[in-house]
Every structure is written in structure tokens, then in C-alpha cells.
Amino acid sequence: MRGFMGPRGLPDTARAARFILKDFVSGKLLYCNPPPGVERSDYQKFPPPQPRNTSREITPHQLRVMKSDRITSKEIDSEFFRKVSLQAHSKGVLSKAPPSSETQKPWKKHNNKNKKLKLRKVYADCDQ
């Protein structure tokens, strides 16, 4: 009950047994024997069993359990074949720049606006 598991998902019975013995010794588990010379039936009196509800009335819980929340195949088919407006999906809107220049893709922002470039790239136009 405490979920003691060993390797490979096997129950750790030795550990569980140690806990049960420890609980018994500390008095957490109730264990009573009748005193010598006393009958067990006189010593331990259990309450009489509760009469079962033999009426055929359906309780609200039973109604909820019996209620069919299952989806029928007809509903599945109608959902699958329902007409939907088909549209082309794109990640973003391309800029209206002419095709010769680089196109800006709004989803590819790497936050390199103020990136410090290497000086050889900054002054590449001065090199001969």
C-alpha cells in the first residue's frame, strides 16, 4: 500500500515487512487477543451487518455512470467530413521588398540589431 518497489518494478516485500513489524511494536496496529479463559465471541463483539438496499431505485451516482457520454461513429464521421474553409498557412508575412533585395522574415528575428561586428567586416570596403 505504501508503494515500496524494488528494482525492475518488483514489490519490496522485505522493506514492507519491516514497516509492518515496526508499526506492530509501536502500537500503531491494533491486535487484541481475549484474556485466558474468555471465549473469543464474548470478547470481540462486531456490529450487526447493515441491511442491503434491496430497492430498485437508481441513485444519482448510478445514473451518471449509466449515462452514455460516448461519441458515436456517426458523430465522428460528421465531424471529420465537415466542410471547413481551406486556407494556406504561412509562418509570417514577407515584406513588400523587391525580389532582388533580401527578404525580411519576421519570424527569424535573432536580435542582432546592435551586434558588434568584427572590424575587418566593417572596413571590408576599404581593403583593396
Side-chain angles (χ1 to χ4, degrees):
M1 288 176 62
R2 293 186 182 183
F4 298 137
M5 301 300 275
R8 298 185 196 140
L10 298 174
D12 192 355
T13 54
R15 184 176 176 197
R18 284 194 300 271
F19 268 84
I20 290 172
L21 289 172
K22 184 178 174 184
D23 289 346
F24 175 75
V25 170
S26 67
K28 288 182 182 177
L29 290 177
L30 178 63
Y31 179 76
C32 301
N33 274 333
V38 177
E39 288 293 319
R40 173 167 276 199
S41 59
D42 295 337
Y43 186 69
Q44 289 180 327
K45 298 208 185 246
F46 295 103
Q50 296 291 330
R52 287 189 154 191
N53 187 4
T54 57
S55 66
R56 293 291 177 187
E57 293 179 17
I58 298 175
T59 64
H61 175 70
Q62 290 172 335
L63 278 174
R64 270 184 272 134
V65 171
M66 290 173 20
K67 184 179 178 185
S68 176
D69 288 338
R70 297 184 190 130
I71 299 174
T72 63
S73 62
K74 196 172 194 177
E75 292 171 346
I76 293 172
D77 289 342
S78 66
E79 180 70 26
F80 182 78
F81 292 111
R82 185 182 60 188
K83 295 207 178 215
V84 230
S85 62
L86 299 174
Q87 297 176 353
H89 297 285
S90 63
K91 260 185 162 179
V93 179
L94 296 177
S95 65
K96 303 278 183 183
S100 61
S101 66
E102 291 184 31
T103 57
Q104 296 291 324
K105 298 177 183 173
W107 61 88
K108 287 197 172 187
K109 291 183 181 175
H110 299 289
N111 298 326
N112 292 336
K113 263 186 178 178
N114 299 324
K115 181 179 177 182
K116 292 184 179 179
L117 297 174
K118 292 184 179 180
L119 290 178
R120 64 185 155 99
K121 288 187 178 181
V122 172
Y123 300 110
D125 59 327
C126 297
D127 290 340
Q128 301 268 351

